[in-house]
Amino acid sequence: HLLNLETLEWSTPNISGPIPPNTAYHMSFVRNSKLYSFGGLSSYWNDHDQLWTLNLNNMTWKQESTSGASKPSQRFGHAFVRWSDNYAVVFGGQQGQNTRLSDIWLLNLDTMAWTATNVPNGPPNRRSPGALVFGNRLLIFGGLSAQGVAFGGELNDLWVLELSTTVSQMSWKQLPISGSPAGRASPALVAISKSSFLLFGGITHVPEYTYLSDATSIDLDIAFGPKCLLSGPNLKSAVAGQRGIFSIQPKNALGESLINCKDDVSVEFMSKTSQVRFQGIVSARTPCMYDVQFTPLTADIHVVTVRVNGQIVGAAQSPFEADILPNSPAAAQSSLQFSGSSPCDGIVAGDQLAVTMVTRDKFNNQAMSGANAHVVMVRKLANGTSTEDEIAPYLEDSLDGTYVISATVTRAANYSLEVEFFGQEISGSPFWCNVSSTSYEPSNTLLYNPPDSGTLTVDPGQAATLLLGLRDRFGNNVTVDDDETPISAFASDSSSQGAISGDSLIVRVLRRDDGLYSVVFFPFAQGQWNLNLSISGHQILYQGAPFMLQVDTVFEGYKNVDVSLRMAVSAPIAAIAAGLFVAFILHCFSDVAGAENDSDRTAMANVAQEVQALSRSALQGLPPHEVLALLCRLRYLNGRQQADMIKLLEKGDVRVWAPFDRFFKSKKPNKFNLARLGGEMQSVAFSIEEARRAEADSQTERSIANSEHELQG
């Protein structure tokens, strides 16, 4: 039968072709001027699985042949609806008297091929539900459940099936609806707008047959929530402290654009780690287009929730995650991580310094990798003055905003660890580092005043002094406790190798304030002896042989051995009690005894008498230059060394001024402290001469290298 929708008149067309069986409890739809009908009940409990089409242009019936690995079984009371232009969907129904179904089948209307699906978590088995397709969704409402033999168990639940030609992407979801209509079978579902449908009529079977005529509308925007198109450069990523923006275009439940809308749109950002929340600023660009601006401060993954009119946008788009990246590293917020008061706490020569630098942006977020960092360690003098010695530590990027700074430092000294980003020092920089020497290495012991040809030549009564410095394996000076002095010294007869008695020579090992050691040999008779020096059992030799002490002539004033013994014994004891007083005594007497003629001896005796006559107030009143001149006359310094010390005084060098300051401020600026000062000036002079020798050696090595290079050229 045909109904003219304009005249509302029915007519009976002439039908040709094979006629399908009488059919009830079936569903049909129209596509491209063709009516499609599948299954149904042809007689009492006699269902079938035939697919028929009626060409509406010539009113000709045709039973269609279908293909596929399998096809749906015979059934009635099922849903058979058109989806898009190319597919039809079969759901549920009943087979025979007792078997109710909930399976899903797709029919390709172009190829007439069936595809079985197995979508989990779907609705219970049922027959005679209401069915309607909205876009890519199949809506199923009510029907008769599997309870009961034939009738009963009317349902009022609403289910939605997300349709796809890829079966794995299909999914069921039950929609909660407030004010849901009563349960029923065989209701009519009709779309009344692009986002709502009307449910009309139906039948209930228990306790008796009841035919219904009520109508209920269901708004899919409320059921599904709004659907929006989100786009923009900062939709999924932004930078802390920088403004981000993206746009929102509201759509209806089927994803169709709206023409005119006045929506209340809100956007919330929440840090996944800290749970800190903030709102985006929403402004309307057009009636149905909104811009969202936001300025995040916390670098973290943020959960972004978009609400339209109080409802969260569809699950496929909201909430979503946005990665907020840290800003550029800021030196003021970046720092080093270390325990103790300094990055070098506990570091000795040869150890590896390893500290972690954490870079942060100005909002205190841990920065990312790739920072432009510069790290250098500069050796500092005791007065804080920088030297030209620099170490460039290795900087390893951990690719998470942290860097490992590592360096192996072999020179014991004070260092300034300077860390910069883009020309600015990080928080706390520069860091003061003190790298101490490691344990001494006997074979590295340095003799500061080695005698020519390994032989010291003196007269009886004149002290012969060797100045030793303990060094570690890297050549750093090492200072040990007073009770741990590892130096052993004695003299032996060069012919008999036997130890010499105290009547002929006295040996003393004295520790100086600068950590060096003076080994003093004080002979009283002519002769030649081996000087046996050892450091923790390691012998100090000159070209493989012990040092020699040669005593030639005897000065008449000191032929009396008893007098010499009293002097030599008392001098070391006094030196131990008062620093280096022994150096003062030995210098005074040995210089007098070593004068080449009576005139020199008289001059040295006069100097000794001058020192003996100096009072405490007189010493305290001497200017530093005159004190240096006095030390030179006392043979603590030679002329060149005196000139070096004067230059250091004029430069304000702490190595000279500090001993002078202690001398003048001491409670006893007397002859004993003058001897101590002389020893300290000697130490500075030795270090300068050592530096000169090292520079000369370096120049020689460079000259040799240049010569070799020229020869190779």
Side-chain angles (χ1 to χ4, degrees):
H1 299 274
L2 295 178
L3 175 64
N4 189 315
L5 296 178
E6 293 181 353
T7 63
L8 298 181
E9 294 181 353
W10 289 98
S11 62
T12 303
N14 293 322
I15 303 297
S16 61
I19 304 299
N22 297 333
T23 301
Y25 293 100
H26 64 288
M27 292 188 71
S28 302
F29 62 84
V30 173
R31 174 204 182 228
N32 296 336
S33 300
K34 186 179 289 188
L35 175 70
Y36 290 77
S37 178
F38 170 74
L41 199 63
S42 58
S43 61
Y44 190 74
W45 302 124
N46 185 19
D47 45 21
H48 65 81
D49 60 357
Q50 300 174 17
L51 175 63
W52 290 82
T53 60
L54 174 64
N55 189 321
L56 298 177
N57 292 322
N58 56 22
M59 293 297 170
T60 302
W61 281 106
K62 177 184 179 183
Q63 183 176 1
E64 300 286 350
S65 298
T66 59
S67 61
S70 59
K71 64 180 183 177
S73 60
Q74 67 269 20
R75 66 190 64 204
F76 68 95
H78 55 282
F80 180 55
V81 292
R82 174 185 168 185
W83 166 48
S84 74
D85 288 337
N86 307 100
Y87 284 89
V89 183
V90 171
F91 166 73
Q94 180 171 328
Q95 181 180 9
Q97 295 188 32
N98 301 315
T99 304
R100 293 177 182 172
L101 309 169
S102 63
D103 51 345
I104 293 288
W105 294 82
L106 296 181
L107 174 63
N108 188 316
L109 299 176
D110 292 330
T111 63
M112 287 300 185
W114 287 103
T115 300
T117 69
N118 183 18
V119 184
N121 304 317
N125 296 354
R126 67 191 63 202
R127 89 170 203 209
S128 303
L132 178 67
V133 169
F134 260 99
N136 289 325
R137 294 186 176 103
L138 170 66
L139 300 180
I140 297 295
F141 178 84
L144 295 176
S145 74
Q147 303 298 324
V149 177
F151 304 109
E154 289 85 356
L155 302 169
N156 68 341
D157 51 350
L158 178 63
W159 290 78
V160 59
L161 173 64
E162 297 286 345
L163 295 171
S164 174
T165 55
T166 302
V167 175
S168 61
Q169 296 180 0
M170 298 174 66
S171 62
W172 281 106
K173 179 181 179 182
Q174 184 176 6
L175 301 179
I177 302 178
S178 59
S180 181
R184 66 195 66 200
S186 303
L189 299 186
V190 181
I192 56 177
S193 73
K194 291 185 176 181
S195 61
S196 62
F197 68 92
L198 182 69
L199 182 148
F200 172 71
I203 184 174
T204 61
H205 300 80
V206 178
E208 59 184 357
Y209 279 77
T210 303
Y211 298 91
L212 306 174
S213 62
D214 57 334
T216 303
S217 64
I218 298 177
D219 191 331
L220 295 181
D221 282 338
I222 298 176
F224 291 102
K227 188 172 184 179
C228 295
L229 175 64
L230 307 179
S231 61
N234 304 118
L235 182 63
K236 296 297 181 69
S237 178
V239 177
Q242 296 182 7
R243 188 182 72 171
I245 187 170
F246 63 87
S247 62
I248 300 176
Q249 183 179 6
K251 295 179 176 291
N252 65 16
L254 302 179
E256 298 172 333
S257 299
L258 304 179
I259 299 175
N260 189 14
C261 53
K262 296 181 180 179
D263 296 298
D264 178 15
V265 180
S266 66
V267 180
E268 180 187 72
F269 296 79
M270 183 186 73
S271 167
K272 293 187 70 174
T273 301
S274 65
Q275 304 295 304
V276 173
R277 303 168 186 259
F278 67 93
Q279 298 290 322
I281 300 174
V282 181
S283 58
R285 188 199 312 172
T286 65
C288 285
M289 180 70 73
Y290 301 87
D291 289 330
V292 181
Q293 299 183 33
F294 60 100
T295 305
L297 300 180
T298 303
D300 189 18
I301 301 296
H302 283 64
V303 178
V304 185
T305 303
V306 179
R307 290 182 172 86
V308 176
N309 300 323
Q311 287 188 288
I312 296 177
V313 171
Q317 296 193 56
S318 173
F320 61 90
E321 292 186 350
D323 188 6
I324 308 302
L325 306 175
N327 211 309
S328 300
Q333 272 70 37
S334 302
S335 61
L336 291 189
Q337 289 184 343
F338 54 85
S339 59
S341 59
S342 163
C344 301
D345 276 3
I347 298 293
V348 299
D351 286 349
Q352 184 181 58
L353 166 70
V355 293
T356 299
M357 175 174 58
V358 180
T359 62
R360 299 184 181 278
D361 64 15
K362 60 183 177 180
F363 306 103
N364 211 36
N365 298 302
Q366 185 164 314
M368 299 177 67
S369 61
N372 183 9
H374 175 69
V375 184
V376 66
M377 289 183 69
V378 180
R379 186 171 65 87
K380 294 283 188 176
L381 299 178
N383 63 353
T385 305
S386 298
T387 67
E388 295 182 356
D389 296 339
E390 290 188 357
I391 300 173
Y394 177 68
L395 188 67
E396 181 182 1
D397 190 344
S398 301
L399 304 180
D400 61 355
T402 64
Y403 299 78
V404 177
I405 300 173
S406 59
T408 300
V409 185
T410 58
R411 181 166 185 174
N414 290 323
Y415 292 90
S416 172
L417 179 60
E418 301 168 3
V419 185
E420 293 182 350
F421 281 152
F422 306 102
Q424 293 184 338
E425 290 189 302
I426 70 170
S427 176
S429 178
F431 301 89
W432 187 257
C433 283
N434 176 263
V435 178
S436 58
S437 57
T438 184
S439 57
Y440 65 86
E441 173 60 44
S443 61
N444 271 6
T445 301
L446 178 65
L447 183 61
Y448 282 86
N449 58 339
D452 294 337
S453 302
T455 301
L456 293 86
T457 302
V458 297
D459 289 338
Q462 182 182 10
T465 303
L466 293 177
L467 189 62
L468 299 177
L470 298 180
R471 293 196 165 193
D472 61 16
R473 61 191 177 98
F474 303 106
N476 300 300
N477 290 331
V478 178
T479 301
V480 298
D481 295 337
D482 290 339
D483 57 353
E484 296 180 3
T485 301
I487 300 176
S488 173
F490 68 93
S492 61
D493 187 274
S494 61
S495 59
S496 65
Q497 301 296 319
I500 300 175
S501 68
D503 291 344
S504 301
L505 182 137
I506 291 179
V507 182
R508 291 289 185 269
V509 178
L510 306 174
R511 176 175 171 175
R512 297 156 52 103
D513 285 351
D514 55 7
L516 303 180
Y517 293 86
S518 292
V519 182
V520 182
F521 300 90
F522 200 92
F524 305 121
Q526 291 178 276
Q528 187 178 58
W529 297 286
N530 293 329
L531 303 182
N532 299 282
L533 299 177
S534 61
I535 311 295
S536 298
H538 177 82
Q539 194 169 11
I540 307 299
L541 303 173
Y542 177 80
Q543 296 183 354
F547 289 98
M548 302 294 295
L549 177 63
Q550 178 70 42
V551 183
D552 293 330
T553 61
V554 179
F555 177 48
E556 293 295 329
Y558 294 97
K559 285 185 176 179
N560 189 319
V561 175
D562 293 335
V563 175
S564 299
L565 278 173
R566 286 196 299 271
M567 178 198 68
V569 172
S570 60
I573 296 174
I576 294 172
L580 291 179
F581 178 52
V582 65
F584 171 77
I585 296 295
L586 295 178
H587 269 293
C588 288
F589 288 105
S590 63
D591 286 338
V592 174
E596 294 182 356
N597 52 51
D598 292 340
S599 175
D600 289 340
R601 287 195 290 270
T602 301
M604 290 302 301
N606 290 337
V607 174
Q609 291 175 4
E610 176 187 350
V611 174
Q612 293 290 340
L614 284 174
S615 64
R616 172 181 174 181
S617 60
L619 280 172
Q620 207 164 19
L622 287 176
H625 288 71
E626 293 188 18
V627 175
L628 286 174
L630 178 59
L631 292 176
C632 187
R633 294 200 300 276
L634 290 173
R635 303 291 179 86
Y636 281 99
L637 304 172
N638 58 33
R640 181 176 182 179
Q641 292 171 336
Q642 180 187 5
D644 289 338
M645 298 303 103
I646 291 175
K647 289 180 181 179
L648 295 180
L649 275 174
E650 293 172 349
K651 291 181 180 180
D653 195 299
V654 71
R655 292 176 295 175
V656 176
W657 275 109
F660 267 104
D661 187 57
R662 288 194 298 270
F663 174 71
F664 287 123
K665 290 183 178 180
S666 64
K667 295 181 180 180
K668 294 181 179 181
N670 51 23
K671 297 181 287 294
F672 298 97
N673 287 329
L674 181 62
R676 179 192 296 259
L677 180 63
E680 291 175 322
M681 293 300 100
Q682 275 187 342
S683 176
V684 176
F686 287 149
S687 65
I688 293 175
E689 291 172 353
E690 180 189 2
R692 286 194 183 117
R693 285 196 300 271
E695 178 61 24
D697 292 342
S698 177
Q699 290 179 354
T700 301
E701 291 176 358
R702 287 196 294 270
S703 298
I704 293 173
N706 291 335
S707 299
E708 291 177 349
H709 180 72
E710 292 175 359
L711 290 173
Q712 291 174 358

